[in-house]
Amino acid sequence: GAGVSQSPRYKVTKRGQDVALRCDPISGHVSLYWYRQALGQGPEFLTYFNYEAQQDKSGLPNDRFSAERPEGSISTLTIQRTEQRDSAMYRCASSGYRDRVGKLFFGSGTQLSVL
Amino acid sequence: DAKTTQPTSMDCAEGRAANLPCNHSTISGNEYVYWYRQIHSQGPQYIIHGLKNNETNEMASLIITEDRKSSTLILPHATLRDTAVYYCIVRFPSGGSYIPTFGRGTSLIVHP
């Protein structure tokens, strides 16, 4: 696609429910990153992939958070048993293989609200 | 790991140059300096990057000091649409990976 696409744009859920957030990166981009951003804060790193391999998940807050990218393209970030503190903007970014220095292209994000 | 320090906020008159500083005193030799900006609720947008030489593109100029411990992003003729949060990032390794890490950035307000 022309850019990074994320869905849904908005997600409202009740505490305790599971949610799945989707990211469709720019076609051909090898690296895919997930960030979380609270209001007034910069994006906070969660995890990233090269192709289908999860390279680093050190930013995932706890084991309720997981991510996958099974075919090296679309990625899903899953939050189980959501809590109110999980409410935030979740952003996905992708970058090309040779551009390892961090030139990222971001999607519009998914705004998650946990009631 | 190198970290960056930026002023929390700045303001600039429309049409004047906006000079946004960033301190990265612990940067290592193979780390690049990147700048992104974020307008409203949009995702961050890449502006420019550099290693040791000054760089210029259609959006901005990047001046990196000789010791590489600080840099300045220059918007030569700021417009109202340049009002945004600007992030200075230094790429540093984490377990062999390279993760762009964002701080709180500088909130730039361009006023008429």
Side-chain angles (χ1 to χ4, degrees), chain B residues 30-96:
Chain B
N30 63 346
E31 292 176 321
Y32 285 70
V33 180
Y34 268 70
W35 284 83
Y36 288 78
R37 74 177 183 184
Q38 189 169 25
I39 298 174
H40 297 303
S41 61
Q42 298 176 20
Q45 175 193 25
Y46 165 83
I47 301 173
I48 197 169
H49 76 280
L51 181 61
K52 58 177 67 175
N53 298 319
N54 298 336
E55 302 289 343
T56 295
N57 63 21
E58 66 279 4
M59 293 182 68
S61 295
L62 174 61
I63 308 296
I64 302 174
T65 58
E66 189 169 348
D67 63 10
R68 304 211 320 123
K69 293 185 177 182
S70 65
S71 61
T72 300
L73 179 74
I74 301 172
L75 308 178
H77 306 286
T79 71
L80 299 179
R81 288 176 295 180
D82 292 322
T83 293
V85 178
Y86 288 78
Y87 297 100
C88 168
I89 295 159
V90 170
R91 181 192 71 162
F92 51 89
S94 173

Side-chain angles (χ1 to χ4, degrees), chain A:
Chain A
V4 179
S5 178
Q6 292 187 247
S7 61
R9 183 68 181 89
Y10 301 93
K11 178 67 177 179
V12 180
T13 190
K14 293 183 178 179
R15 187 175 52 189
Q17 297 295 306
D18 298 349
V19 295
L21 312 180
R22 172 186 166 121
C23 173
D24 193 350
I26 292 173
S27 179
H29 274 191
V30 168
S31 299
L32 185 149
Y33 300 78
W34 282 100
Y35 288 84
R36 178 172 68 175
Q37 187 170 20
L39 198 62
Q41 304 290 322
E44 172 193 13
F45 169 78
L46 296 177
T47 184
Y48 101 99
F49 296 81
N50 278 342
Y51 298 101
E52 72 283 357
Q54 191 169 24
Q55 298 293 321
D56 192 310
K57 56 180 181 179
S58 62
L60 296 177
N62 50 61
D63 60 8
R64 295 186 297 105
F65 288 73
S66 63
E68 63 175 7
R69 194 186 184 198
E71 298 179 358
S73 180
I74 294 171
S75 176
T76 302
L77 177 69
T78 300
I79 309 173
Q80 296 179 312
R81 305 180 303 281
T82 53
E83 301 178 4
Q84 288 185 330
R85 58 177 173 162
D86 299 333
S87 296
M89 175 71 83
Y90 288 82
R91 297 196 184 275
C92 173
S94 69
S95 65
Y97 178 74
R98 291 192 180 278
D99 187 1
R100 299 194 303 157
V101 296
K103 184 177 179 180
L104 303 179
F105 297 84
F106 281 84
S108 298
T110 294
Q111 181 67 55
L112 175 65
S113 297
V114 182
L115 305 179

